[in-house]
Every structure is written in C-alpha cells, then in structure tokens.
Amino acid sequence: MKRSTIKDVALAAGVAVSTVSRVINDSGYASRESRQRVLKAVEELHFQPSRAARSLATGRTGTVALVLPDITNPFFPALARGVEDAASAAGYTVILCNTDNDASQEAMYAALLRQQRVDGVVLTACSPNNRGLWSQMTERIPVVLTDRRLEGAIDETVFVDNVAGAYLATRQLLELGHRRIGLIGGPLGLSTTEDRQRGYEQALREAGLEPDETLMRNGDFRYASGYARMRELAEQHVTAVFAANDMMAIGAIRAVEDAGGRVPDHIAVVGFDDILLASMIKPGLTTIAQPTYQMGVMAVDRLLERMRTDATGEPRQVVLEPTLVVRDSCGGKGRGS
Ligand code: RIB
C-alpha cells in the first residue's frame, strides 16, 4: 500500500502543506477547523510524518548522541542503560558513538555530530585534547558530561565524588593494617585519574604516611594494564593495592595468582566501579560502587532541561556519592561474597 504523504493529507483536508506541517508538529498557528480537518485526514490516510519532516518543522531531530570511550568496559554499558531508559521515556532515540579511547576518533564524532543535527549530547570524554571541539558544539546544542570533567570547556557535569571514593578504598586497606599500599591509577589527563590519586594520597597522609612514588603506577583502565602494573608493584613488596577501576583490579588479582600468590593472603586488592564482574569473580572484589545507572538517568534529565531552556540556565555539577563494597579481595572482617 502506497505510503501517504504530507501533500495527500493537505489535499484531503483542503489546507496548505504548511498548515499540515504546523498541526502535526504542534508548532505555530492553525485554526480549530483546519486542525480538526488535518487530524481527520491524518487518521483516514494512516499518515506517518517522516523524521525529516518533523525535524524541518521543529528544528528537533528527536535524537541524542551518547559518546563513550570504551564500550568493552562493563562500566559504560551500565551508564548507557541509564541514558537509554531516560531518553526513550522522554521520546528520544539514542545513537551510540564509541571513541575507543582514541582522541582522533572522538574528534571525528564531534565533527559528525555537528553535521548530523542531534538535539543534545551526553559525553564521557576520552581525552582533554578535544575540549575545544566540544565547547564549540555547546554554542549550538547542549552537551552534558558524565563521569569526567572537562575544565574550561563544559561545566554541565554528572559524576561521582572520585576523591571520596578513592579515600574510602585506601582507608579500608589502612584499617586492615596495610602500610605498603600500591596505586594502579588510570590514564593520565583524566579527571577521574587525578581525583582518585588525590583520594589515595589524602588517606595515606591522614594515617601519617607520605605517598611513595615508587608504589604508584598508571594503567589505561583495561585488564592487561592492571596485570602488568601489579607485577611491577609486587617487586616493590606491596602488601595491598588500590586499582582505580575494576578491570585493572581484576587484572591485578590474576597477576598475583599467576605468580603463585593468593589474594588477599599475599596481596589485598581493592577496585573502583563495582561492575557486575566484581561480585562474580573469586575472590569477590572489594570495590567502590558508583551509582552508574543513576548517573546516566541524571545526565539525560540535565540534558532535557538544557534543551527545554535553550541552555540558558546556570550549568550545574551534580556530584554523586560513592559507597565501599567489602568482599573477599581485601581480607578482614565483614567480607561478603
Ligand atoms: O572503568 C572505567 C573508568 O572510567 C570508570 O572508573 C569510570 O569512572 C571512568 O572514569
């Protein structure tokens, strides 16, 4: 059956095409009689306005972009679930852009999204190098950051208190009697990496320990880097390690075991994120839980607000609370699964 067009509706209703466009997009004036005639024709002809037709009339595309750095890391699909549920509840389609932790890939997506005309962007940046590109984009469409800040570029952000989370992780190890506590930090240049190192150092200093650079390393938030950094720290005779995310913490546990050691008996390990795997592995991973799903939902709420107000309001930094989840990988009392 031939698909009805906007012209067919106009003909059947005896009005101009522009009147039909105003009625179906609820934008601009149309008399009550014209509105009734158009809606009757739409129903009789089973007319479905195309996305392009809607977009032309309202300037909206009904689409938001979600730009993430690494969809192979379970943290990000959990964030995406919150974004998707909140966006679709508000009638928006989400298009996913995975930058694969590659700054040039992220720059390509920034250029593409400027042309593709999305209504808004939820962004977890993989590199501070593209802050100018994203800042330019906010001149035309709202961008809300999740998880990581981009100082001097975009202020609308939803993220967890990473300093407090890392402080809790390190203090847990201190309270279990550890004094040579290694750090496997994230990639340099990210606010999550800087904040988690700050929380680690804060807890050490509060316990009268000066942070020791020889016990501090940086990974790339992936399993293999956690494994490699753990082998290096084992040579420094650490008795515990705080890894700045769960994938690196899981790599660290495997490195201890492959070297013939046991977690937590030989080396205690604490991670950050509380991805699903953390409770599935043996020993269960002690970690810092992020309200990841809620982060995605709140980012969309902020984005919808910015879209509604044409980004005129004051940008906000929404900071969420982290929680310590104790399992077997750190040793000590109250160990869960
Ligand atoms: O695991 C990926 C990490 O990147 C998470 O800790 C998240 O906070 C992001 O910074």
Side-chain angles (χ1 to χ4, degrees):
M1 183 174 140
K2 178 179 160 304
R3 181 186 173 125
S4 305
T5 67
I6 194 166
K7 284 190 181 126
D8 298 331
V9 174
L11 204 57
V15 298
V17 166
S18 56
T19 304
V20 176
S21 175
R22 286 199 302 275
V23 171
I24 61 175
N25 291 296
D26 196 17
S27 61
Y29 174 75
S31 69
R32 176 196 290 271
E33 188 203 352
S34 299
R35 186 175 297 278
Q36 283 169 346
R37 295 211 319 252
V38 166
L39 293 177
K40 183 166 175 288
V42 163
E43 194 176 333
E44 287 168 354
L45 294 172
H46 306 293
F47 173 68
Q48 290 285 335
S50 71
R51 187 178 288 276
R54 263 207 305 273
S55 169
L56 270 179
T58 63
R60 295 256 189 245
T61 63
T63 308
V64 296
L66 172 59
V67 183
L68 293 175
D70 180 6
I71 54 168
T72 66
N73 180 318
F75 171 84
F76 293 108
L79 179 67
R81 181 77 269 167
V83 169
E84 166 78 23
D85 287 353
S88 55
Y92 284 87
T93 303
V94 177
I95 52 173
L96 174 65
C97 306
N98 176 38
T99 61
D100 223 2
N101 282 324
D102 178 313
S104 53
Q105 178 84 344
E106 185 179 277
M108 182 279 291
Y109 274 124
L112 182 71
L113 294 172
R114 284 173 73 92
Q115 295 155 14
Q116 290 297 311
R117 289 190 45 68
V118 293
D119 295 337
V121 178
V122 175
L123 166 67
T124 300
C126 74
S127 158
N129 301 342
N130 293 321
R131 68 175 72 232
L133 280 176
W134 295 115
S135 177
Q136 275 169 16
M137 183 168 282
T138 57
E139 290 158 15
R140 208 170 48 75
I141 56 168
V143 178
V144 173
L145 300 178
T146 48
D147 180 65
R148 301 165 186 181
R149 298 189 302 276
L150 272 184
E151 273 88 2
I154 298 172
D155 294 327
E156 193 69 49
T157 318
V158 182
F159 60 108
V160 80
D161 186 339
N162 291 289
V163 176
Y167 173 87
L168 287 173
T170 310
R171 196 181 63 182
Q172 171 69 8
L173 294 167
L174 289 161
E175 285 175 355
L176 291 168
H178 294 285
R179 288 297 173 271
R180 281 186 75 77
I181 302 173
L183 168 70
I184 303 177
L188 296 175
L190 299 181
S191 63
T192 42
T193 300
E194 291 155 16
D195 290 354
R196 291 174 196 173
Q197 178 168 329
R198 195 171 310 131
Y200 161 82
E201 292 175 343
Q202 195 179 323
L204 291 180
R205 288 197 174 96
E206 195 179 85
L209 297 170
E210 194 49 35
D212 176 351
E213 300 247 320
T214 63
L215 306 186
M216 297 162 70
R217 297 287 191 283
N218 286 92
D220 61 3
F221 278 150
R222 288 181 164 152
Y223 172 91
S225 65
Y227 189 103
R229 297 297 91 76
M230 181 68 250
R231 290 177 64 128
E232 295 161 15
L233 290 173
E235 288 166 17
Q236 299 295 327
H237 310 297
V238 296
T239 62
V241 163
F242 164 49
N245 87 323
D246 286 352
M247 290 307 289
M248 295 195 296
I250 295 168
I253 291 173
R254 183 59 187 268
V256 172
E257 292 174 347
D258 283 357
R262 276 193 318 280
V263 170
D265 307 30
H266 297 104
I267 294 183
V269 176
V270 176
F272 201 114
D273 288 344
D274 199 20
I275 58 176
L276 189 58
L277 269 177
S279 62
M280 295 164 81
I281 60 169
K282 280 286 178 201
L285 180 62
T286 298
T287 186
I288 299 299
Q290 296 204 53
T292 310
Y293 178 87
Q294 292 79 349
M295 194 187 287
V297 171
M298 295 181 84
V300 170
D301 290 349
R302 290 301 305 140
L303 187 64
L304 295 173
E305 178 61 22
R306 306 289 288 167
M307 286 152 64
R308 262 193 295 272
T309 59
D310 274 342
T312 50
E314 264 309 295
R316 267 191 245 159
Q317 290 212 338
V318 179
V319 184
L320 304 173
E321 278 309 303
T323 44
L324 173 67
V325 179
V326 179
R327 299 190 179 101
D328 284 345
S329 71
C330 71
K333 300 182 296 299
R335 300 189 299 187
S337 58

